[in-house]
């Protein structure tokens, strides 16, 4: 699988390619920027699942929000993302949109 296609597909559906968020951290095919993109997507999905669960809409997979957030923070630390920018979804070197 081509690198760009892997990142695109894994970003769209991280749980299709990885069982645990730490698997993203260990995947040597990825750059830290790739990891950041995939984990941010996974975190959004996990937050949506957590909200749905809180509202009584239970699904098949666990949210794993804590696990994904920890892995995301690790990648952000590696990339030098300021703590205040975590919630904003920005990282060093990224242009304003």
């Amino acid at each position: 699988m081509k690198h760009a296609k892997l990142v695109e597909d894994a970003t769209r559906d991280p749980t299709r390619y990885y069982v645990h968020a730490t698997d993203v951290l260990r995947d040597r095919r990825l750059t830290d920027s790739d990891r950041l993109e995939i984990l941010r997507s996974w975190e959004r999905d996990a937050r949506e699942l957590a909200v749905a669960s809180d509202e009584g809409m239970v699904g098949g997979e666990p949210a794993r929000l804590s696990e994904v957030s920890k892995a995301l923070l690790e990648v952000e630390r590696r990339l030098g993302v300021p703590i205040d920018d975590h919630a904003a979804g920005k990282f060093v070197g990224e242009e304003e949109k």
Side-chain angles (χ1 to χ4, degrees), residues 35-94:
R35 291 180 182 99
L36 185 67
E37 184 177 345
I38 292 165
L39 289 168
R40 282 185 174 163
S41 173
W42 198 342
E43 184 183 45
R44 279 189 302 272
D45 293 347
R47 286 188 188 284
E48 289 174 6
L49 279 172
V51 168
S53 179
D54 288 346
E55 294 175 353
M57 296 181 273
V58 289
E61 69 179 80
R64 294 197 168 133
L65 182 56
S66 176
E67 174 189 347
V68 173
S69 293
K70 286 177 186 175
L72 181 57
L73 285 171
E74 169 62 24
V75 174
E76 290 176 333
R77 183 192 60 74
R78 290 182 199 173
L79 289 171
V81 177
I83 299 294
D84 295 344
D85 287 348
H86 173 80
K90 298 185 295 187
F91 69 99
V92 173
E94 184 177 52

